[in-house]
Amino acid sequence: MARLYHFMLCPFSRRIRLALGEYGVDAELIEERPWSLTRALLKLNPSGALPVFIDDDRVTVAGIEAVSEYLEETRAGTGGAATLLGATPVERAEVRRLVAWFDVTFHRDVSRNVIVENIERRFAAPEHGGGAPNMQAVRNSLSHIRGHLDYIGRLVEERRWLAGDRLSHADLAAAAHLSCLDYLGDVPWSASDGAKGWYARIKSHPCFRPLLADQIRGMPPPRSYADLEF
Amino acid sequence: MARLYHFMLCPFSRRIRLALGEYGVDAELIEERPWSLTRALLKLNPSGALPVFIDDDRVTVAGIEAVSEYLEETRAGTGGAATLLGATPVERAEVRRLVAWFDVTFHRDVSRNVIVENIERRFAAPEHGGGAPNMQAVRNSLSHIRGHLDYIGRLVEERRWLAGDRLSHADLAAAAHLSCLDYLGDVPWSASDGAKGWYARIKSHPCFRPLLADQIRGMPPPRSYADLEF
């Protein structure tokens, strides 16, 4: 069976867990903690970036872009799995533009700080950056979230999914980041009906179920996190 | 003719300029300044990320991952241009792993700070972050560069190019970042014979020539920058 090295509240790992569900790939999940990676993980990916996917034939694929493109190349169109990248170069360009919107811009402006301050500071040893969270940094980052919800809302006014008519890695990337913040109770869904409606749709997909069952020990999510009518 | 919105010392823009040369694509270059983007650019890519490629047929492709994959999909294998991503999913996974090494890890640890402090602080207006560069931040970032040169050196001990037998986006990404720092005279090439030999090889490729002619007004590069025997 394939294996995925991941961390529950790593948005890149979450995107691949969602993609595995959509492509219909079973994988054993192996938990890593980004603030104290195992030697096994660093051997698989010297940069330390999660996730890392080990295919059935032991091919190692490291890092979010490598894994997402590898799964599309090897799993889309097989066994009934649809493409998650798009059918033409132009469609794929739009999916990849929006993936970068969330994996680069949203991550830099919002999710990275919120996750580092709330999770890594809490669980890491002091020598690995543990300590009191910088709540001002968290508030600064969260102040940017409404602009992104607005953007999602504007996209789904004109499209069924973020990049077009079909679910794509753009939706999975956006949902992966937002679901990490939602686990922490930090998404003001009432700020955008459009974004909320889009998230309700993707949250009810079967691929989302494993994520909704996630529980970090000593840090349970709010009840709304797993509620399909949040 | 195709167009590329770029900035001379943006490593992502540089990678695409190199790729255009390798794929044999002519494009008009339109200069943008990351610290004061034009409205035209923000209309093409609301996230503001460079580069943006406008194809002959006016298709807009925004952001480094979207542009690099789009060019591979539409230009590799045409008119004699070879693939820059690899021939199999496994080869492409290795190329994309190394691209992330430079575009994510090297950028975060080294090139972003050096470029922001040396270029953006100098040219940006105070309201856009201009001012005195933080030279301590520059020194901290540059202290990480030797580890990366070592890594390049180890890779080319066993491979002709970074990801395998053929030149790929991994080489272009690494060379794009390092050439920005080289423009500033900040690469200690004597630290790794292997990395220096690899850079000498890629620097002498025809695709590199336009980059070696770059001149930022009021900030010329050191003589070694354009010298093939640096």
Side-chain angles (χ1 to χ4, degrees):
Chain A
M1 192 197 271
R3 282 175 288 158
L4 185 76
Y5 290 77
H6 80 117
F7 171 60
M8 268 188 217
L9 291 193
C10 159
F12 308 107
S13 302
R14 284 195 157 219
R15 168 146 72 96
I16 297 304
R17 290 168 69 199
L18 293 170
L20 290 172
E22 285 294 319
Y23 288 127
V25 178
D26 281 328
E28 179 193 357
L29 295 184
I30 299 166
E31 178 92 4
E32 285 281 341
R33 289 170 299 176
W35 55 92
S36 72
L37 297 165
T38 63
R39 281 189 204 171
L41 188 279
L42 288 169
K43 202 168 162 189
L44 292 168
N45 191 12
S47 83
L50 292 173
V52 175
F53 179 72
I54 317 286
D55 208 345
D56 301 329
D57 57 4
R58 301 200 179 169
V59 163
T60 299
V61 189
I64 178 65
E65 286 309 323
V67 177
S68 63
E69 298 278 346
Y70 176 87
L71 289 175
E72 175 77 11
E73 290 176 1
T74 59
R75 300 319 206 273
T78 67
T83 174
L84 290 175
L85 264 181
T88 66
V90 174
E91 282 181 27
R92 290 192 284 274
E94 178 65 354
V95 170
R96 292 185 180 115
R97 176 184 78 82
L98 287 166
V99 165
W101 184 284
F102 293 99
D103 278 2
V104 180
T105 309
F106 187 83
H107 186 239
R108 179 192 66 208
D109 293 349
V110 187
S111 52
R112 183 178 55 193
N113 267 339
V114 175
I115 294 167
V116 164
E117 296 299 333
N118 280 304
I119 307 291
E120 298 200 19
R121 293 272 180 267
R122 175 166 179 163
F123 292 105
E127 65 271 26
H128 293 124
N134 179 342
M135 294 312 291
Q136 187 57 47
V138 171
R139 280 190 292 274
N140 284 348
S141 297
L142 288 174
S143 72
H144 296 291
I145 201 171
R146 284 165 195 265
H148 290 279
L149 294 178
D150 282 348
Y151 189 53
I152 290 173
R154 286 202 302 280
L155 289 170
V156 294
E157 269 177 22
E158 301 188 347
R159 303 166 169 185
R160 177 157 170 71
W161 295 101
L162 295 188
D165 282 342
R166 69 184 117 207
L167 183 80
S168 76
H169 274 288
D171 300 282
L172 303 189
H177 284 272
L178 284 164
S179 68
C180 289
L181 305 184
D182 203 38
Y183 187 100
L184 300 166
D186 280 337
V187 184
W189 290 114
S190 59
S192 166
D193 287 343
K196 185 177 179 178
W198 161 84
Y199 191 68
R201 277 191 284 136
I202 197 167
K203 196 175 177 179
S204 66
H205 264 234
C207 69
F208 231 90
R209 262 179 231 146
L211 276 64
L212 299 181
D214 279 352
Q215 289 272 350
I216 292 183
R217 207 187 324 198
M219 201 177 209
R223 189 168 302 175
S224 60
Y225 170 72
D227 188 350
L228 297 181
E229 298 183 4
F230 51 106
Chain B
M1 191 194 273
R3 281 175 288 157
L4 185 76
Y5 289 78
H6 80 117
F7 171 61
M8 268 189 217
L9 291 193
C10 159
F12 309 107
S13 302
R14 282 194 158 219
R15 168 145 72 97
I16 296 305
R17 289 168 69 199
L18 292 171
L20 290 171
E22 286 294 319
Y23 289 127
V25 178
D26 282 328
E28 178 193 358
L29 295 184
I30 299 165
E31 178 92 4
E32 285 280 340
R33 290 171 298 176
W35 55 90
S36 72
L37 296 164
T38 63
R39 280 191 203 169
L41 187 281
L42 288 169
K43 201 167 165 190
L44 293 168
N45 191 12
S47 83
L50 293 174
V52 174
F53 179 73
I54 316 287
D55 209 344
D56 301 329
D57 57 4
R58 301 201 178 167
V59 163
T60 299
V61 188
I64 178 64
E65 286 308 324
V67 178
S68 62
E69 299 279 346
Y70 176 86
L71 289 176
E72 174 77 12
E73 290 175 1
T74 58
R75 298 323 205 272
T78 66
T83 174
L84 290 175
L85 265 181
T88 67
V90 174
E91 283 181 25
R92 291 191 284 273
E94 178 64 355
V95 171
R96 292 184 179 115
R97 175 184 80 82
L98 288 167
V99 165
W101 183 285
F102 293 99
D103 278 1
V104 180
T105 309
F106 187 84
H107 186 239
R108 180 193 64 208
D109 294 348
V110 187
S111 54
R112 184 178 52 193
N113 268 340
V114 176
I115 294 167
V116 165
E117 295 300 331
N118 280 304
I119 307 290
E120 298 199 20
R121 294 272 182 267
R122 175 167 178 161
F123 292 105
E127 65 271 25
H128 293 124
N134 179 342
M135 292 315 288
Q136 187 57 48
V138 171
R139 279 189 294 273
N140 284 347
S141 297
L142 288 174
S143 72
H144 296 292
I145 201 171
R146 283 165 196 264
H148 290 278
L149 294 178
D150 282 347
Y151 189 53
I152 290 173
R154 287 201 302 281
L155 290 170
V156 294
E157 270 177 21
E158 302 188 348
R159 303 166 169 185
R160 178 157 168 70
W161 294 101
L162 295 187
D165 282 343
R166 70 183 116 208
L167 183 81
S168 76
H169 273 289
D171 300 281
L172 303 190
H177 284 272
L178 284 165
S179 68
C180 289
L181 304 184
D182 203 39
Y183 187 99
L184 301 165
D186 280 337
V187 184
W189 290 114
S190 59
S192 167
D193 288 343
K196 185 177 178 177
W198 160 84
Y199 191 66
R201 277 192 283 135
I202 197 167
K203 196 175 178 180
S204 66
H205 264 235
C207 69
F208 231 90
R209 258 178 235 148
L211 276 65
L212 298 181
D214 279 352
Q215 289 272 351
I216 292 184
R217 207 186 324 199
M219 200 177 210
R223 190 168 301 176
S224 61
Y225 171 71
D227 188 351
L228 295 182
E229 297 182 3
F230 52 106

